[in-house]
Amino acid sequence: MRLTTKGRYAVTAMLDLAIHHGEGPITLADIAQRQGISLSYLEQLFARLRKRQLVSSVRGPGGGYTLGRNAEEISVAEVITAVDENVDTTRCGGAHNCQDNQKCLTHELWHDLSDRIHDYLSRITLDDLMKRRDVQEVAQRQEDGAPSVAAGSLKAQAR
């Protein structure tokens, strides 16, 4: 499967944004701090997410990002696709040239698995993830262990 850190980090960052939705615009520095993702990497991901209108940016003091739509309308598959990732378990990337420039013996098996994974991720929304108890516990732990948002924003501004 070709789901790289790009797709994983995009889903993680979007879930963080969804969890903090309603607190006003969320800075990438705050997401980076809570999730342990590089700020410059998040900037690249959010540029792609913004192009797909999954997030909206707010400029100026107190600015940051908000969800582009409601959390129940954004699927995990959509987030992964927005950052140019695909969920493909075939060896050939779906090009049907796995063996001697032709389809291999098990190509359809892996292609079907890719379809099932995509279907599964298409049915899971950010809202579904936010409702999971394990997600709520981790989010609470991150909040309890993190410095105040204001302190985190001041650190980001000082850089």
Side-chain angles (χ1 to χ4, degrees):
M1 180 149 101
R2 297 175 210 260
L3 181 60
T4 65
T5 55
K6 188 190 312 182
R8 293 176 192 274
Y9 283 174
V11 171
T12 299
M14 287 292 289
L15 182 55
D16 184 285
L17 192 61
I19 288 168
H20 293 92
H21 187 73
E23 298 175 14
I26 306 299
T27 68
L28 293 184
D30 289 339
I31 295 172
Q33 182 180 28
R34 280 190 296 266
Q35 303 308 324
I37 302 172
S38 139
L39 181 59
S40 61
Y41 201 64
L42 282 176
E43 289 169 346
Q44 294 172 30
L45 294 176
F46 271 69
R48 293 176 180 190
L49 294 167
R50 191 174 63 238
K51 281 183 186 175
R52 287 293 192 66
Q53 299 176 342
L54 294 177
V55 297
S56 298
S57 61
V58 178
R59 295 179 179 253
Y65 285 88
T66 60
L67 291 177
R69 298 194 310 263
N70 292 327
E72 56 271 356
E73 298 173 2
I74 301 173
S75 74
V76 171
E78 190 176 7
V79 173
I80 292 168
T81 302
V83 294
D84 297 332
E85 284 290 294
N86 62 31
V87 180
D88 182 11
T89 57
T90 63
R91 194 169 34 156
C92 62
H96 301 11
N97 60 357
C98 337
Q99 183 180 26
D100 298 327
N101 216 22
Q102 294 186 19
K103 191 167 38 170
C104 72
L105 189 62
T106 56
H107 177 87
E108 292 305 320
L109 169 70
W110 305 125
H111 179 74
D112 290 349
L113 176 60
S114 297
D115 285 347
R116 287 181 181 235
I117 292 169
H118 187 270
D119 289 345
Y120 171 74
L121 295 176
S122 293
R123 289 191 307 263
I124 300 172
T125 66
L126 295 177
D127 187 61
D128 294 333
L129 292 175
M130 288 190 321
K131 290 176 181 173
R132 291 179 55 150
R133 188 169 69 176
D134 58 322
V135 169
Q136 292 173 6
E137 289 171 357
V138 171
Q140 187 60 55
R141 184 194 72 221
Q142 290 173 341
E143 286 300 314
D144 292 345
S148 72
V149 174
S153 296
L154 289 175
K155 282 185 201 173
Q157 291 173 358
R159 289 184 206 161

